[in-house]
Amino acid sequence: MKPRIGTTLASTTDATTVVVVRWGDTDVEVTCGGAPMVDAKGPEAGTTHPADPDQQAGTQMGKRYADPDLGIELLCTKAGAGTLAAGGAPLPLKDAKPLPASD
Amino acid sequence: MNLSVLLDMAAEGFGDRVVVGTRAEGLTAARVRELAAGGATLVAEAGADAVLYLAVNGPAFPVALFTAARAGVPLVPVNYRLGAAQLDHLVAQHPKALVIADAAQAAVAERAGLGFRTPAEFLRDAAAAAPAEEGFVDPDSAAVVIYTSGTTSAPKGVVLRHANLVSYVLGTVEFAAAEETEAAVMSVPPYHIAAVSNALTNLYAGRRVLVLEAFTPAGWVDLVRTEEVTNAMVVPTMLARIMDEPGLDRAVPSLRSLAYGGAAMPRRIVEQALAEWPHVGFVNAYGLTETSSTITVLGPDEHRAALSSSDEAVRARLSSAGRAVPGIEIEVRDEDGTPVPAGTAGRIWVRGEQVSTEYAGRGSSLDGAGWFDTRDQGRLDAEGYLFVEGRVDDTIIRGAENIAPAEIEDVLLAHPGVADAVVVGVPDEEWGQRIEAVVVARPGTDLDDTALDALRETVRATLRSSKTPDRITAWPEIPRTPTGKLLRRDVVAGLAPAEQIR
C-alpha cells in the first residue's frame, strides 16, 4: 500500500485508527493486530479479521509511531489493543517529549 | 497533509467537546467542521480565490480559517487598524475574495467594490449552506497569507502553505492532549500569526479557546477567573500592564500556563510575574510570521531554574528565547553569511518545514540551501539558548560603531522607576546617528531632569560611554503597535532634531 498523506487508516481487528503523517516512496503493508489496515473511507472499510494474540501491544491516542528508515509516520487518532507494524516489523513509538503550549 | 485533516481528526477524536467560546454557548469540534463545510460552499458559490478577514477575533475566525482550508483558498486576515491608503492597497491584492468584515470596516469593502458579510452573517450563512464536496487540497497550496506589520519596511504578504502550518502543529503539539477542563484565552488580534497558530494548536490539543477582543488588565484577569482559564498567551506590553496596574487584584488561581512573545520582555516584569504567580508555568516563545509562529521555546522549568540559579550563565537565560523546537535548525551568521561560534552575536538564520518559502508576488524568501534570514540580531549560548537582540535594521551606527538598542533598553528597563523604554538612532551631523532614549515613568514615579541625569549615569556605569544615550526624554507613552511592537520610526520622528519635546 502507498496511501496519500492525511489518509485515515482503520484497523480490521479492532477500533484503532491512525492518520498517515509521512510515507516515503516505499510500497509496504501496514498492519494492526496482525491484519492489514484499510483506508477508513475506502471500499474495504468495515471489513474484519481475527486478531493475532501475539500482536496486542496496543496504541495510545495522540502518539506517533514511526520507522525513519521506511519514512513512515502514523499518528494514532483512536487507540486500540493491536500492534502497529510495517512490513511485518512493529512500528516503535516516536519518543517526543511534549512541549509546553507556546501560543 | 492539509489543515482540514487536523479539523477532521479533532471532529472525529473529540467531536462533542466545546473548542471555541464559552462552555455554555460555544462551538464543538464537530460543529466547527460542519460550519467550515458550509462556509466552503459560500466560497465556491462566490467563485472566490481567498477569504479576507477584516474583523476582530471571535468564533468566526477559526471557522473562516477552516472554511478557506476546505475550499482550497487562503485565509487573509488583514489589520483593520491600518490607515485607509495601506488598507485599500492590501485589499486590492485580493479582488476576488469573499470578505468577512465588521460593520465598522464596511467602508473599506465598499471602496474596493466588494460585498461583505459580518462575522455573525457569515456564521449564519455557513450554517444554512449545504456542505461542500471534499475535494483534494494540495498541501503545497497557500493556507494563510499574513501581511507583516511593516514596522521596519513596507508590509509583505507572507505565504504560509498547509505543509508549513501542519508541520508546526505536528512538531510542537500532542494531539488530544488537553484535558476537558482546559481553556485558553487569546488576546492578540486575528492578523497576527499567533492568532492563526493558536486557533490551530488549541483545536488540535482539544483545548477550548476564548477571545478577549479589547485588552485591559482588569478585563483579562476577570475573564481568566470567571471562565477558569488554564492557558493564556500575551504580548509583553500586556503582562507589563497587568503587573503595573495599581490596585489590580491579580489572583488567577486557575491559570497553569502563560506564554508570551512577539517583542522583548523586560526582565523586571517577568521576575515580578514569576514571584506573584508561583503556580504558573511561564513559556517564552520566539518566532516570526515567516516561521509559522514559534521556533524557540523557554519552558516553565527553565524559567524557574534561571530565577534560582547561582550560575551566571543559567541566570542569564531568563532573558533568552530558549531553544529550537523539533524540526527547526538555527544558525547565527556574520555579515558574510559565515556561521559564528556560540557567544558571538550575528544575524539569526533558520531552516525547517514550518518556514514559509515565499512572499506573495516577490518569489522565494530562502537562500539556496533553504535557510531563511530572520533579519533579527542575536546569539546562541554554549547549550543552544537563543538570545534575540532586536531587528538588524534597528541597529544604530554611531560613528563607526554598531550599537544594538536592546542592550541599552535592557539597562533602562531594569530601573525601578521605568515602565517602558526605547533607544533609537537620530540623524546627527557629527556622528551620523546619535543615541537617544525615551522612557515612560512607572505609575507613581516622577522622572524629572535630575532623575533622567541619574539614569544616564546608570547606563554609563553599566555599559560604556559610547553606548550612553546622548539624551534621555520622558514621554507619557511610547508608540507601539497593538501587538506590542515598538514603532521606532514614530519615536525618531517625535525626537526631531533641535526640537524641545514636551
Side-chain angles (χ1 to χ4, degrees), chain B residues 41-64:
Chain B
T41 296
L42 303 178
V43 173
E45 282 173 0
D49 61 1
V51 174
L52 202 69
Y53 192 88
L54 251 176
V56 298
N57 215 333
F61 180 68
V63 173

Side-chain angles (χ1 to χ4, degrees), chain A residues 4 22 63-64 75 102-103, chain B residues 168 170 197 201 204 294:
Chain A
R4 185 187 262 168
R22 287 180 203 277
K63 298 289 184 192
R64 286 184 278 173
L75 195 153
S102 67
D103 48 27
Chain B
Y168 169 67
L170 295 183
S197 57
T201 56
Y204 188 73
T294 308

Side-chain angles (χ1 to χ4, degrees), chain A residues 4-8 17-22 40-41 60-64 73 75-78 94 96-103, chain B residues 1 5 9 13 134 136 168 170 172 174-176 197-198 201-202 204 207 231 233 257 259 283 285 293-294 297 299-300 325-326 353:
Chain A
R4 185 187 262 168
I5 308 294
T7 304
T8 297
T17 58
V18 298
V19 166
V20 178
V21 175
R22 287 180 203 277
K41 289 179 184 164
Q60 294 173 55
M61 166 90 144
K63 298 289 184 192
R64 286 184 278 173
E73 188 167 316
L75 195 153
C76 177
T77 48
K78 260 193 204 99
K94 187 175 175 179
K97 190 169 156 258
L99 285 174
S102 67
D103 48 27
Chain B
M1 233 163 124
V5 175
M9 287 167 66
E134 272 186 73
F136 173 68
Y168 169 67
L170 295 183
T172 63
E174 194 169 308
F175 177 64
S197 57
N198 182 280
T201 56
N202 283 308
Y204 188 73
R207 189 180 298 116
N231 294 60
M233 192 267 163
S257 170
V283 180
S293 194
T294 308
V297 162
V325 301
E353 283 181 63

Side-chain angles (χ1 to χ4, degrees), chain B residues 32 50 52 71 86 92 101 104 150 191 226 235 252 292 305 307 350 362 386 426 431 438 465 471 486 494 498:
Chain B
V32 172
L52 202 69
Q86 250 186 329
Y191 51 83
T226 52
V235 298
V252 284
S292 303
L307 196 63
V350 58
R362 294 182 188 220
L386 181 70
V426 176
W431 294 100
V438 175
S465 62
R471 183 169 71 149
L486 283 163

